[in-house]
Amino acid sequence: TLLSSLGLGTTLTFASSHWLLAWMGLEINTLAIIPLMAQHHHPRAVEATTKYFLTQATAAAVILFASTTNAWITGVWDMNNVSDPLASTMIIAALALKIGLAPMHFWMPEVLQGLDLLTGLVLSTWQKLAPLALIIQTAQAIDPLLLTALGLMSTLIGGWGGLNQTQLRKILAYSSIAHMGWMIIVLQYAPQLTLIALLTYVFMTSAAFLTLKTSSATKISALATVWSKSPVLATTAALVMLSLGGLPPLTGFMPKWLILQELTKQSLPLIATIMALAALLSLYFYLRLCYAMTLTVSPNTATSTTPWRVQTTQVSFPLALATVMALGLLPIT
């Protein structure tokens, strides 16, 4: 029931052109993921769920208020007709809070840190789709300066924030904030690039989370022992990290390349430069993960040939698919 409601909420938001229906979809979506987040009954999971619920409920209330204001002023509930500047600013603020764009990003690392890896995967991929669909639909009515500021700030904070982290889920949360910034910055010039960036982000994040799930690692120090258990997984995981950082010839290079090209084409060289430098910040902590995974020899006893490990029970097909997508999609540019 919960999973189908999760899917239904997002689909409702996708399919709606009326603000009330979109709001209802977001609300169903939030209510469906709450029990999934709290299912382990761990104090941290419960705390994360509470934080998430409060932020999402606030955002939904603001969306409802803004759309009502817009309908009150214009008499129309249509999405593509947000002519009131106050309403459109409130809507983008609420949607930014929903997907965790800076400066509304503070809940994201804490919430992700409290969840298990699969729920974290759902939170950082599926839960982004509905608010992003709304942002894309209303982007034309929003002040371009505001969107640019949100995008720049998110990439910079996503880069700075992750530098000092040792918890992998927090690192992935900051990486998610930075990627959202890349999507928002190009939204007003080429929305299709936003969709490409979203698609590649989903593949790379899925590969990262499923890799961590297979090796059951949640800290950087745990990554150092992965190579002796499954060397191939350690290799692909390091490559996935570099792909998230946006290095050619991996998939992650494609959206960054196209977005920088589009920004230059729109004669915004300064913004493009800042974005490229912010990508370097993110690259630093991905490289740190690669270093821990592939370039350090963890202390292991020479007496046993194979180290002890828990036999994993999860299906390896989604991991394989996501990894291949995260590493090999650059030629489709």
Side-chain angles (χ1 to χ4, degrees), residues 125 156 174 314 320 322 329:
T125 54
L156 283 167
Y174 280 111
Q314 74 169 5
L329 280 189

Side-chain angles (χ1 to χ4, degrees), residues 16 82 119 129 160 203 222 236 270 275 292 319:
S16 61
V82 189
T119 323
L129 299 182
W160 283 124
F203 281 135
T236 55
L270 182 65
M275 294 297 281
L319 170 61

Side-chain angles (χ1 to χ4, degrees), residues 132-141 147 182-199 255 258-259 262-263 266:
L132 262 170
L134 294 183
I135 290 180
I136 290 171
Q137 283 182 64
T138 52
Q140 300 316 314
L147 277 180
W182 279 90
M183 288 172 218
I184 295 297
I185 197 91
V186 79
L187 181 56
Q188 47 205 331
Y189 310 112
Q192 62 273 28
L193 285 187
T194 301
L195 289 177
I196 287 182
L198 177 65
L199 197 67
L258 293 174
I259 286 172
E262 180 63 35
L263 288 173
Q266 299 284 350

